[in-house]
PDB file of all heavy atoms in Angstrom:
ATOM      1  N   VAL B1369     -31.175  23.214  24.452  1.00 35.00           N
ATOM      2  CA  VAL B1369     -31.079  23.842  25.746  1.00 35.00           C
ATOM      3  C   VAL B1369     -31.127  22.699  26.884  1.00 35.00           C
ATOM      4  O   VAL B1369     -32.123  22.048  26.879  1.00 35.00           O
ATOM      5  CB  VAL B1369     -32.343  24.792  25.952  1.00 35.00           C
ATOM      6  CG1 VAL B1369     -32.276  25.350  27.319  1.00 35.00           C
ATOM      7  CG2 VAL B1369     -32.207  25.878  24.765  1.00 35.00           C
ATOM      8  N   VAL B1370     -30.093  22.734  27.597  1.00 36.00           N
ATOM      9  CA  VAL B1370     -30.082  21.683  28.747  1.00 36.00           C
ATOM     10  C   VAL B1370     -29.476  22.421  29.888  1.00 36.00           C
ATOM     11  O   VAL B1370     -29.067  23.599  29.680  1.00 36.00           O
ATOM     12  CB  VAL B1370     -29.213  20.615  28.397  1.00 36.00           C
ATOM     13  CG1 VAL B1370     -29.710  19.716  27.272  1.00 36.00           C
ATOM     14  CG2 VAL B1370     -27.757  21.109  27.958  1.00 36.00           C
ATOM     15  N   GLY B1371     -29.489  21.795  31.067  1.00 40.00           N
ATOM     16  CA  GLY B1371     -28.885  22.325  32.168  1.00 40.00           C
ATOM     17  C   GLY B1371     -29.877  22.998  33.126  1.00 40.00           C
ATOM     18  O   GLY B1371     -31.022  23.252  32.804  1.00 40.00           O
ATOM     19  N   GLY B1372     -29.389  23.283  34.342  1.00 43.00           N
ATOM     20  CA  GLY B1372     -30.260  23.827  35.468  1.00 43.00           C
ATOM     21  C   GLY B1372     -30.323  25.320  35.274  1.00 43.00           C
ATOM     22  O   GLY B1372     -29.937  25.952  34.318  1.00 43.00           O
ATOM     23  N   GLY B1373     -30.757  25.922  36.403  1.00 52.00           N
ATOM     24  CA  GLY B1373     -30.895  27.427  36.353  1.00 52.00           C
ATOM     25  C   GLY B1373     -32.211  27.894  35.927  1.00 52.00           C
ATOM     26  O   GLY B1373     -33.088  27.122  35.672  1.00 52.00           O
ATOM     27  N   LEU B1374     -32.223  29.183  35.755  1.00 56.00           N
ATOM     28  CA  LEU B1374     -33.408  29.804  35.262  1.00 56.00           C
ATOM     29  C   LEU B1374     -33.467  29.859  33.844  1.00 56.00           C
ATOM     30  O   LEU B1374     -32.595  30.318  33.071  1.00 56.00           O
ATOM     31  CB  LEU B1374     -33.483  31.298  35.838  1.00 56.00           C
ATOM     32  CG  LEU B1374     -34.533  32.245  35.360  1.00 56.00           C
ATOM     33  CD1 LEU B1374     -35.776  31.711  35.704  1.00 56.00           C
ATOM     34  CD2 LEU B1374     -34.313  33.622  35.825  1.00 56.00           C
ATOM     35  N   LEU B1375     -34.597  29.402  33.230  1.00 55.00           N
ATOM     36  CA  LEU B1375     -34.829  29.359  31.843  1.00 55.00           C
ATOM     37  C   LEU B1375     -36.074  30.179  31.617  1.00 55.00           C
ATOM     38  O   LEU B1375     -37.217  29.757  32.015  1.00 55.00           O
ATOM     39  CB  LEU B1375     -35.078  27.936  31.306  1.00 55.00           C
ATOM     40  CG  LEU B1375     -35.242  27.754  29.957  1.00 55.00           C
ATOM     41  CD1 LEU B1375     -33.909  28.172  29.219  1.00 55.00           C
ATOM     42  CD2 LEU B1375     -35.488  26.194  29.655  1.00 55.00           C
ATOM     43  N   ILE B1376     -35.945  31.276  30.937  1.00 56.00           N
ATOM     44  CA  ILE B1376     -37.094  32.234  30.736  1.00 56.00           C
ATOM     45  C   ILE B1376     -37.582  32.093  29.380  1.00 56.00           C
ATOM     46  O   ILE B1376     -36.826  32.556  28.439  1.00 56.00           O
ATOM     47  CB  ILE B1376     -36.778  33.652  31.011  1.00 56.00           C
ATOM     48  CG1 ILE B1376     -36.548  33.682  32.566  1.00 56.00           C
ATOM     49  CG2 ILE B1376     -38.059  34.481  30.828  1.00 56.00           C
ATOM     50  CD1 ILE B1376     -36.262  35.059  33.073  1.00 56.00           C
ATOM     51  N   GLY B1377     -38.634  31.506  29.102  1.00 48.00           N
ATOM     52  CA  GLY B1377     -39.195  31.484  27.776  1.00 48.00           C
ATOM     53  C   GLY B1377     -40.660  31.734  27.852  1.00 48.00           C
ATOM     54  O   GLY B1377     -41.215  31.859  28.901  1.00 48.00           O
ATOM     55  N   TYR B1378     -41.193  31.843  26.823  1.00 41.00           N
ATOM     56  CA  TYR B1378     -42.731  32.111  26.662  1.00 41.00           C
ATOM     57  C   TYR B1378     -43.441  31.217  25.815  1.00 41.00           C
ATOM     58  O   TYR B1378     -44.510  31.535  25.261  1.00 41.00           O
ATOM     59  CB  TYR B1378     -42.961  33.487  26.332  1.00 41.00           C
ATOM     60  CG  TYR B1378     -42.367  34.568  27.299  1.00 41.00           C
ATOM     61  CD1 TYR B1378     -41.028  34.895  27.417  1.00 41.00           C
ATOM     62  CD2 TYR B1378     -43.271  35.148  28.257  1.00 41.00           C
ATOM     63  CE1 TYR B1378     -40.572  35.763  28.250  1.00 41.00           C
ATOM     64  CE2 TYR B1378     -42.830  36.014  29.159  1.00 41.00           C
ATOM     65  CZ  TYR B1378     -41.413  36.364  29.198  1.00 41.00           C
ATOM     66  OH  TYR B1378     -41.118  37.209  30.181  1.00 41.00           O
ATOM     67  N   ALA B1379     -42.857  29.991  25.655  1.00 33.00           N
ATOM     68  CA  ALA B1379     -43.429  29.067  24.712  1.00 33.00           C
ATOM     69  C   ALA B1379     -44.958  28.822  25.105  1.00 33.00           C
ATOM     70  O   ALA B1379     -45.839  28.670  24.336  1.00 33.00           O
ATOM     71  CB  ALA B1379     -42.797  27.689  24.621  1.00 33.00           C
ATOM     72  N   SER B1380     -45.163  28.782  26.433  1.00 30.00           N
ATOM     73  CA  SER B1380     -46.535  28.440  26.846  1.00 30.00           C
ATOM     74  C   SER B1380     -47.553  29.544  26.490  1.00 30.00           C
ATOM     75  O   SER B1380     -48.727  29.314  26.399  1.00 30.00           O
ATOM     76  CB  SER B1380     -46.544  28.228  28.422  1.00 30.00           C
ATOM     77  OG  SER B1380     -46.077  29.549  28.931  1.00 30.00           O
ATOM     78  N   THR B1381     -47.113  30.749  26.244  1.00 33.00           N
ATOM     79  CA  THR B1381     -48.043  31.813  25.908  1.00 33.00           C
ATOM     80  C   THR B1381     -48.137  31.999  24.477  1.00 33.00           C
ATOM     81  O   THR B1381     -48.928  32.847  23.928  1.00 33.00           O
ATOM     82  CB  THR B1381     -47.668  33.177  26.481  1.00 33.00           C
ATOM     83  OG1 THR B1381     -46.255  33.543  26.018  1.00 33.00           O
ATOM     84  CG2 THR B1381     -47.579  33.097  27.957  1.00 33.00           C
ATOM     85  N   ARG B1382     -47.372  31.175  23.707  1.00 33.00           N
ATOM     86  CA  ARG B1382     -47.353  31.312  22.169  1.00 33.00           C
ATOM     87  C   ARG B1382     -48.884  30.808  21.743  1.00 33.00           C
ATOM     88  O   ARG B1382     -49.352  29.883  22.197  1.00 33.00           O
ATOM     89  CB  ARG B1382     -46.344  30.323  21.685  1.00 33.00           C
ATOM     90  CG  ARG B1382     -46.237  30.518  20.115  1.00 33.00           C
ATOM     91  CD  ARG B1382     -44.848  30.012  19.771  1.00 33.00           C
ATOM     92  NE  ARG B1382     -44.711  28.467  20.013  1.00 33.00           N
ATOM     93  CZ  ARG B1382     -45.144  27.555  19.290  1.00 33.00           C
ATOM     94  NH1 ARG B1382     -45.720  27.855  18.082  1.00 33.00           N
ATOM     95  NH2 ARG B1382     -44.880  26.319  19.572  1.00 33.00           N
ATOM     96  N   PRO B1383     -49.410  31.721  20.847  1.00 32.00           N
ATOM     97  CA  PRO B1383     -50.690  31.355  20.393  1.00 32.00           C
ATOM     98  C   PRO B1383     -50.621  30.072  19.522  1.00 32.00           C
ATOM     99  O   PRO B1383     -49.740  29.689  19.045  1.00 32.00           O
ATOM    100  CB  PRO B1383     -51.141  32.513  19.488  1.00 32.00           C
ATOM    101  CG  PRO B1383     -49.858  33.105  19.225  1.00 32.00           C
ATOM    102  CD  PRO B1383     -48.841  32.831  20.236  1.00 32.00           C
ATOM    103  N   SER B1384     -51.845  29.374  19.611  1.00 31.00           N
ATOM    104  CA  SER B1384     -51.894  28.123  18.702  1.00 31.00           C
ATOM    105  C   SER B1384     -51.687  28.538  17.271  1.00 31.00           C
ATOM    106  O   SER B1384     -51.743  29.625  16.839  1.00 31.00           O
ATOM    107  CB  SER B1384     -53.186  27.462  18.897  1.00 31.00           C
ATOM    108  OG  SER B1384     -54.153  28.207  18.212  1.00 31.00           O
ATOM    109  N   LYS B1385     -51.322  27.518  16.505  1.00 29.00           N
ATOM    110  CA  LYS B1385     -51.034  27.747  15.173  1.00 29.00           C
ATOM    111  C   LYS B1385     -52.037  28.437  14.254  1.00 29.00           C
ATOM    112  O   LYS B1385     -51.641  29.118  13.342  1.00 29.00           O
ATOM    113  CB  LYS B1385     -50.708  26.314  14.567  1.00 29.00           C
ATOM    114  CG  LYS B1385     -49.637  26.346  13.519  1.00 29.00           C
ATOM    115  CD  LYS B1385     -49.334  24.934  13.150  1.00 29.00           C
ATOM    116  CE  LYS B1385     -48.275  24.945  12.055  1.00 29.00           C
ATOM    117  NZ  LYS B1385     -47.545  23.675  11.719  1.00 29.00           N
ATOM    118  N   HIS B1386     -53.248  28.373  14.662  1.00 25.00           N
ATOM    119  CA  HIS B1386     -54.383  28.866  13.876  1.00 25.00           C
ATOM    120  C   HIS B1386     -54.972  30.117  14.346  1.00 25.00           C
ATOM    121  O   HIS B1386     -56.000  30.664  13.755  1.00 25.00           O
ATOM    122  CB  HIS B1386     -55.306  27.848  13.460  1.00 25.00           C
ATOM    123  CG  HIS B1386     -54.588  26.534  12.798  1.00 25.00           C
ATOM    124  ND1 HIS B1386     -54.184  26.743  11.479  1.00 25.00           N
ATOM    125  CD2 HIS B1386     -54.328  25.412  13.215  1.00 25.00           C
ATOM    126  CE1 HIS B1386     -53.556  25.536  11.077  1.00 25.00           C
ATOM    127  NE2 HIS B1386     -53.652  24.776  12.223  1.00 25.00           N
ATOM    128  N   SER B1387     -54.595  30.622  15.524  1.00 28.00           N
ATOM    129  CA  SER B1387     -55.367  31.679  16.152  1.00 28.00           C
ATOM    130  C   SER B1387     -54.733  33.050  15.858  1.00 28.00           C
ATOM    131  O   SER B1387     -55.448  33.983  15.983  1.00 28.00           O
ATOM    132  CB  SER B1387     -55.418  31.457  17.596  1.00 28.00           C
ATOM    133  OG  SER B1387     -54.048  31.514  18.203  1.00 28.00           O
ATOM    134  N   ILE B1388     -53.532  33.094  15.379  1.00 28.00           N
ATOM    135  CA  ILE B1388     -52.884  34.388  15.338  1.00 28.00           C
ATOM    136  C   ILE B1388     -53.596  35.318  14.286  1.00 28.00           C
ATOM    137  O   ILE B1388     -53.727  36.508  14.574  1.00 28.00           O
ATOM    138  CB  ILE B1388     -51.412  34.306  14.996  1.00 28.00           C
ATOM    139  CG1 ILE B1388     -50.776  35.615  15.177  1.00 28.00           C
ATOM    140  CG2 ILE B1388     -51.223  33.635  13.511  1.00 28.00           C
ATOM    141  CD1 ILE B1388     -49.300  35.510  15.152  1.00 28.00           C
ATOM    142  N   ALA B1389     -54.080  34.854  13.266  1.00 27.00           N
ATOM    143  CA  ALA B1389     -54.736  35.808  12.382  1.00 27.00           C
ATOM    144  C   ALA B1389     -55.765  36.589  12.871  1.00 27.00           C
ATOM    145  O   ALA B1389     -56.227  37.671  12.450  1.00 27.00           O
ATOM    146  CB  ALA B1389     -55.230  34.937  11.127  1.00 27.00           C
ATOM    147  N   ASN B1390     -56.445  36.172  13.924  1.00 27.00           N
ATOM    148  CA  ASN B1390     -57.495  36.765  14.526  1.00 27.00           C
ATOM    149  C   ASN B1390     -57.145  37.605  15.773  1.00 27.00           C
ATOM    150  O   ASN B1390     -57.989  38.226  16.527  1.00 27.00           O
ATOM    151  CB  ASN B1390     -58.727  35.810  15.028  1.00 27.00           C
ATOM    152  CG  ASN B1390     -59.105  35.092  13.694  1.00 27.00           C
ATOM    153  OD1 ASN B1390     -59.296  35.661  12.621  1.00 27.00           O
ATOM    154  ND2 ASN B1390     -59.417  33.723  13.880  1.00 27.00           N
ATOM    155  N   ARG B1391     -55.919  37.596  16.139  1.00 31.00           N
ATOM    156  CA  ARG B1391     -55.455  38.291  17.373  1.00 31.00           C
ATOM    157  C   ARG B1391     -55.472  39.760  17.082  1.00 31.00           C
ATOM    158  O   ARG B1391     -55.066  40.252  16.072  1.00 31.00           O
ATOM    159  CB  ARG B1391     -54.068  37.808  17.779  1.00 31.00           C
ATOM    160  CG  ARG B1391     -53.978  36.375  18.144  1.00 31.00           C
ATOM    161  CD  ARG B1391     -54.448  35.942  19.430  1.00 31.00           C
ATOM    162  NE  ARG B1391     -53.855  36.678  20.593  1.00 31.00           N
ATOM    163  CZ  ARG B1391     -53.118  35.842  21.450  1.00 31.00           C
ATOM    164  NH1 ARG B1391     -53.123  34.606  21.384  1.00 31.00           N
ATOM    165  NH2 ARG B1391     -52.417  36.492  22.449  1.00 31.00           N
ATOM    166  N   ASP B1392     -55.966  40.463  18.176  1.00 34.00           N
ATOM    167  CA  ASP B1392     -55.754  42.060  17.994  1.00 34.00           C
ATOM    168  C   ASP B1392     -54.395  42.369  18.259  1.00 34.00           C
ATOM    169  O   ASP B1392     -53.592  41.726  19.098  1.00 34.00           O
ATOM    170  CB  ASP B1392     -56.738  42.663  18.949  1.00 34.00           C
ATOM    171  CG  ASP B1392     -58.101  42.428  18.607  1.00 34.00           C
ATOM    172  OD1 ASP B1392     -58.418  42.274  17.409  1.00 34.00           O
ATOM    173  OD2 ASP B1392     -58.945  42.260  19.552  1.00 34.00           O
TER     174      ASP B1392
END
Side-chain angles (χ1 to χ4, degrees):
Chain B
V1369 178
V1370 289
L1374 171 62
L1375 184 64
I1376 297 185
Y1378 292 82
S1380 59
T1381 62
R1382 187 161 61 87
S1384 76
K1385 213 167 174 168
H1386 300 291
S1387 65
I1388 188 165
N1390 300 320
R1391 299 283 293 242
D1392 294 326

